[in-house]
Amino acid sequence: MNKISVFLDDFREAPAGYVLAETIDECIDLLKDFRIEHLSLDHDLLSKTRNGLMLVQIMIKEKLFANRITIHSANSVGGKAMYNSLKQAQRDFTMPDDITVSLRPLPIHYIPPRALQHYLRVR
């Protein structure tokens, strides 16, 4: 099974070397079909009801994880809810505790080059 890194976002461009998923359905398909090295998630997507938190809930229920997960949403409430859900899954032994989970909000309109260093470590 091939190893890839995935960037879920309907507005920002994916960093170099990442596969862009614009919907949670695209992201779920990638999680099922590939080994994901790094998964970077946004909360607010075009669909108001199918957002990043719903994806995280599906990931936990179906045990679809990546080696490293970053929440990059600029929505502080939604991003924290996603982060807390993943950390709770680790405390509940639903998700392996060796998966690194990070909360690193990215600005919507401009991503400073320094912020992308987090994504360059994946390779």
Side-chain angles (χ1 to χ4, degrees):
M1 189 179 279
N2 292 335
K3 190 188 303 187
I4 63 171
S5 293
V6 176
F7 191 81
L8 172 69
D9 205 301
D10 64 336
F11 186 78
R12 299 173 189 87
E13 290 184 22
Y18 282 72
V19 174
L20 179 65
E22 294 183 299
T23 68
I24 68 169
D25 296 311
E26 290 175 11
C27 194
I28 290 167
D29 288 343
L30 291 168
L31 282 161
K32 288 180 177 178
D33 295 341
F34 295 91
R35 284 184 30 226
I36 308 296
E37 178 61 35
H38 183 210
L39 178 62
S40 189
L41 302 173
D42 191 17
H43 179 275
D44 297 343
L45 303 170
L46 285 178
S47 172
K48 299 299 180 205
T49 57
R50 295 184 61 74
N51 58 35
L53 181 57
M54 177 185 265
L55 171 65
V56 165
Q57 292 165 343
I58 292 168
M59 288 170 54
I60 293 167
K61 181 181 176 191
E62 296 186 19
K63 295 183 179 14
L64 297 170
F65 303 117
N67 291 339
R68 186 164 64 107
I69 301 170
T70 299
I71 311 302
H72 69 253
S73 181
N75 177 333
S76 62
V77 174
K80 285 178 187 172
M82 293 167 68
Y83 176 83
N84 289 333
S85 293
L86 291 167
K87 295 305 280 183
Q88 185 62 50
Q90 286 182 318
R91 287 190 292 276
D92 294 341
F93 304 106
T94 305
M95 184 171 99
D97 65 354
D98 63 339
I99 295 174
T100 302
V101 180
S102 305
L103 179 60
R104 294 177 158 267
L106 292 176
I108 294 174
H109 297 289
Y110 172 73
I111 300 175
R114 210 172 106 199
L116 292 176
Q117 294 302 310
H118 178 72
Y119 293 86
L120 296 174
R121 292 190 316 194
V122 172
R123 298 179 190 163

